[in-house]
Amino acid sequence: MSEADTARRIRAFAEAAALPGNPDVWDGVLARLDGARRQRARRRVLSGGVLAVGIAAAATVVIVVVFGGTQPLSAATVAHRAAAVLRDGTGLPPVTLTEVVTTGSGYGATTPQRVVEHIDYAAADRWRDTATITWPSGRTQQTTTIRAGGQIATISAGSTSISPASGQGGSWFETSVVGQRLNWTAVLSALGTGRCTPSLHLTQGGPLAGVQHTLALHIGAARCPSEAAPETDGPATLWLDPHTYLVLRAELHGPAGQLAQTMQVSALRYRPTFRAGTFTPPTPAATPAPTQPGAVPTLAALRKALAYRPLLPSRLPGGLRVAAIATLAGPAAGKLTEFTITYVNPAGSPVAQLYEAPVASPSVRFSGRPVVIRPGITGTLSSEEGRILWWLQDGRYCSLQTGGTTTGVQLEKIPVSELTQLAASFS
Amino acid sequence: MDRPSIDEYREFVCSRSAPLVHLAFWMTGNWQDAEDIVQDALAKTYVRWPGTEHPEAYVRRIVVNGCRRRFRLRRRETLLAEPPDTPAAAAGVEEAAIARRALVAALASLPVRQRAVIVLRYCLDQPEADVAAALGCSVGTVKSQASKALARLRSHPALAPEGETAPAGGVEGDCQ
């Protein structure tokens, strides 16, 4: 086939393809006119020599001010530094701040719509967090948590409980209401490596909470669906203080692009002078003699023996029923802080056991895969045969075990779905 | 040159959009992308109108550049055997689809510049000078690129003659 033949064949194929002769593009063009005008206007502005010089100078100043004259940091580095600050306060100087968290609809009654949190942070093991929580029902609740060295005091509804601070529960951010509610873990865990790493993009943000030049870290939508927090699988933007990498503002979107959660720091002061006694937990009120750990006959007796209101399942799937209740060691304010409930199946065989303790207790956090228990609450299913499901809820560490042996009880297995159903009914 | 009234501009859009969309379609192999690129190009043209001597040539050039950009962004995309969003013709659907599929596949095997030359020159039947203007190159470059492209396409299986016959519709006819 000669070149001329090839050309003729191309013409013939193009004609035979019979493309539509009158595509309707007018509406689309009309819709884009404004955008094109704006784009052109922007280009015109940017092409102005004086402005270009000004922008270059400003950029230099920002780089010098923000990065101390060193090379600008990459978005990934900034993200990891921000994560480290949230995890354990790495490099964070003493600070006092107030932040407001709002949650979009669709999370159900178990997630507060609004949380105002005031934080006094002196060091990783000296901080105070006062949270005012507004529930969807309109009810408000105030909880104060004080970390003083090796102890964490939780003051809620007039009662104080003190427990040892260790492990994950001792971190200021993990313990804070904001930390537990804002699904940061989902955002930060997405910053790992591999194919699921979302896109990261760093730009200069505007002034926020008295910080002149912030960094805006744009995190793309999750590339792998997140089991841990599917509500915030969409893109997220975090505004950071460029000196401390503290998050000053956050906008997290859902997979459909809707705004799911926001956080904004409304007041911020570094290196403040803290009032005397800020980090001193109140002395617990005098109470009757401590209850001795051991078997408890009823749930009512359990509630009475504990230093806090226990979270219990509101319904038991698969014909399960309560067989045994026991409190464990761990006196706080003269009362007990840890307990177990063993559930049996209709045949009377033990199949599951609940263990509950304050969130700051040194309870083992088993590694495993995330499991959504209900919107806003994600648990971890241990990887060892998938027998232990643990999660944090309303200041408690809860775990449900099926199969294996625990506290001397041999458990038969129930399906993970029933375990999750059980967990989902906790209130 | 003053910017046209919106009615004049609408007339320009309606009269020129078909060949522009066809150009973009043959370049990208995707009808949706083609309309998208052309709409963008036409909007840009209106904004630049007062400084544009030949709006038609200008818009064609923007379309080609838009296709190049789209190609760069989507070069890892796999071309489907049957493009999912190509338009269906009222009659001769089967034959038209086969021809579209074959030509899209053949054009996809060309580098973007050569593809643009072939589409403008042979599918849209543009004179070499107009092709050169649209691509921002010389007429000589158009000729050499066309020659190289035809040489590549000569052995392309999608265009290989079945029993030495081209699709029905006329061997000598214009593209559109």
Side-chain angles (χ1 to χ4, degrees):
Chain A
M1 197 162 57
S2 69
E3 277 189 12
D5 289 336
T6 309
R8 272 197 292 275
R9 286 194 70 78
I10 292 168
R11 285 191 167 109
F13 272 89
E15 187 179 358
L19 298 183
N22 54 346
D24 186 13
V25 296
W26 173 245
D27 288 344
V29 174
L30 212 53
R32 287 160 204 243
L33 276 182
D34 276 347
R37 282 192 189 111
R38 276 198 301 274
Q39 200 176 13
R40 179 155 169 75
R42 272 200 301 273
R43 280 188 183 153
R44 278 185 169 166
V45 168
L46 286 174
S47 66
V50 176
L51 266 177
V53 171
I55 287 165
T60 309
V61 167
V62 168
I63 286 169
V64 170
V65 169
V66 171
F67 302 109
T70 58
Q71 236 183 348
L73 296 173
S74 71
T77 306
V78 168
H80 285 295
R81 290 190 182 178
V85 170
L86 295 180
R87 196 173 51 245
D88 49 25
T90 303
L92 188 65
V95 62
T96 176
L97 61 97
T98 302
E99 55 194 21
V100 181
V101 179
T102 53
T103 304
S105 57
Y107 279 77
T110 59
T111 303
Q113 284 183 323
R114 180 181 160 88
V115 177
V116 180
E117 197 153 27
H118 179 83
I119 296 162
D120 294 310
Y121 177 90
D125 63 349
R126 257 166 65 83
W127 46 260
R128 180 191 185 100
D129 177 326
T130 305
T132 306
I133 305 164
T134 306
W135 296 93
S137 62
R139 185 172 64 90
T140 59
Q141 177 191 344
Q142 193 173 67
T143 303
T144 301
T145 312
I146 301 171
R147 168 89 187 254
Q151 286 189 321
I152 286 191
T154 306
I155 305 141
S156 183
S159 72
T160 303
S161 68
I162 296 179
S163 52
S166 62
Q168 206 175 10
S171 141
W172 74 284
F173 188 75
E174 286 290 337
T175 308
S176 72
V177 176
V178 171
Q180 288 179 41
R181 294 295 182 189
L182 202 54
N183 290 339
W184 290 99
T185 41
V187 175
L188 298 174
S189 63
L191 301 179
T193 54
R195 67 186 180 86
C196 292
T197 304
S199 63
L200 287 175
H201 176 53
L202 196 62
T203 60
Q204 192 194 336
L208 268 177
V211 176
Q212 278 305 307
H213 303 288
T214 54
L215 296 174
L217 180 66
H218 307 276
I219 303 169
R223 288 192 175 152
C224 304
S226 155
E227 275 189 79
E231 307 92 343
T232 50
D233 261 359
T237 304
L238 310 182
W239 284 263
L240 311 168
D241 183 327
H243 299 285
T244 61
Y245 302 100
L246 184 67
V247 179
L248 301 177
R249 184 180 160 201
E251 285 182 1
L252 278 66
H253 294 81
Q258 78 281 15
L259 195 59
Q261 289 178 325
T262 65
M263 185 281 275
Q264 169 115 28
V265 170
S266 57
L268 173 75
R269 195 147 56 92
Y270 287 112
R271 297 176 186 82
T273 306
F274 295 111
R275 280 183 293 106
T278 301
F279 307 110
T280 307
T283 309
T287 52
T291 308
Q292 293 302 309
V296 178
T298 61
L299 289 174
L302 173 70
R303 288 193 181 96
K304 203 171 174 185
L306 288 172
Y308 54 86
R309 192 179 68 81
L311 290 170
L312 297 171
S314 55
R315 57 181 180 278
L316 300 174
L320 300 187
R321 59 188 169 84
V322 174
I325 307 167
T327 53
L328 305 176
K335 291 195 172 186
L336 296 166
T337 55
E338 298 172 33
F339 69 93
T340 61
I341 298 178
T342 306
Y343 299 94
V344 294
N345 63 15
S349 306
V351 290
Q353 190 179 79
L354 160 69
Y355 166 80
E356 199 169 305
V359 72
S361 70
S363 313
V364 176
R365 266 64 164 167
F366 295 94
S367 59
R369 68 179 174 88
V371 170
V372 175
I373 292 172
R374 61 187 191 198
I377 299 181
T378 302
T380 302
L381 189 65
S382 77
S383 46
E384 285 179 26
E385 301 175 53
R387 291 183 311 199
I388 299 171
L389 175 66
W390 69 267
W391 71 99
L392 304 179
Q393 181 175 345
D394 297 341
R396 309 273 180 274
Y397 168 88
C398 309
S399 85
L400 280 169
Q401 176 170 347
T402 185
T405 305
T406 177
T407 60
V409 180
Q410 178 67 43
L411 301 171
E412 288 181 13
K413 272 190 180 178
I414 56 171
V416 169
S417 58
E418 278 189 23
L419 211 60
T420 313
Q421 276 179 39
L422 192 60
S425 71
F426 271 58
S427 60
Chain B
M1 184 187 268
D2 291 336
R3 186 168 290 153
S5 70
I6 202 74
D7 286 339
E8 288 171 320
Y9 175 62
R10 182 178 188 156
E11 199 179 318
F12 172 80
V13 168
C14 294
S15 62
R16 309 297 202 286
S17 58
L20 291 171
V21 175
H22 295 173
L23 163 64
F25 173 72
W26 290 125
M27 288 289 291
T28 60
N30 182 307
W31 191 258
Q32 213 68 48
D33 280 354
E35 285 192 339
D36 204 37
I37 290 165
V38 170
Q39 286 168 354
D40 265 349
L42 286 166
K44 283 177 189 166
T45 306
Y46 180 73
V47 176
R48 281 286 304 266
W49 198 285
T52 311
E53 285 275 319
H54 305 289
E56 192 170 349
Y58 178 73
V59 72
R60 202 181 291 133
R61 190 163 180 169
I62 300 180
V63 168
V64 171
N65 287 338
C67 294
R68 280 177 172 163
R69 200 172 304 117
R70 193 68 56 117
F71 181 73
R72 273 204 303 275
L73 293 175
R74 295 193 175 187
R75 62 189 163 191
R76 280 177 295 180
E77 220 176 52
T78 317
L79 283 172
L80 300 175
E82 174 62 70
D85 52 359
T86 46
V93 174
E94 185 70 14
E95 188 179 291
I98 291 168
R100 263 200 312 273
R101 205 160 49 207
L103 192 48
V104 164
L107 291 169
S109 70
L110 295 175
V112 182
R113 197 176 173 84
Q114 288 181 14
R115 192 188 311 179
V117 169
I118 292 296
V119 170
L120 286 164
R121 183 76 187 95
Y122 300 111
C123 295
L124 301 180
D125 228 16
Q126 295 295 310
E128 283 169 342
D130 286 4
V131 177
L135 299 180
C137 62
S138 67
V139 172
T141 304
V142 170
K143 284 180 179 169
S144 68
Q145 292 288 309
S147 177
K148 283 178 189 167
L150 289 173
R152 281 178 89 137
L153 291 176
R154 196 185 305 163
S155 56
H156 197 283
L159 296 180
E162 287 176 28
E164 297 301 316
T165 56
V171 174
E172 297 294 337
D174 290 334
C175 286
Q176 308 302 331

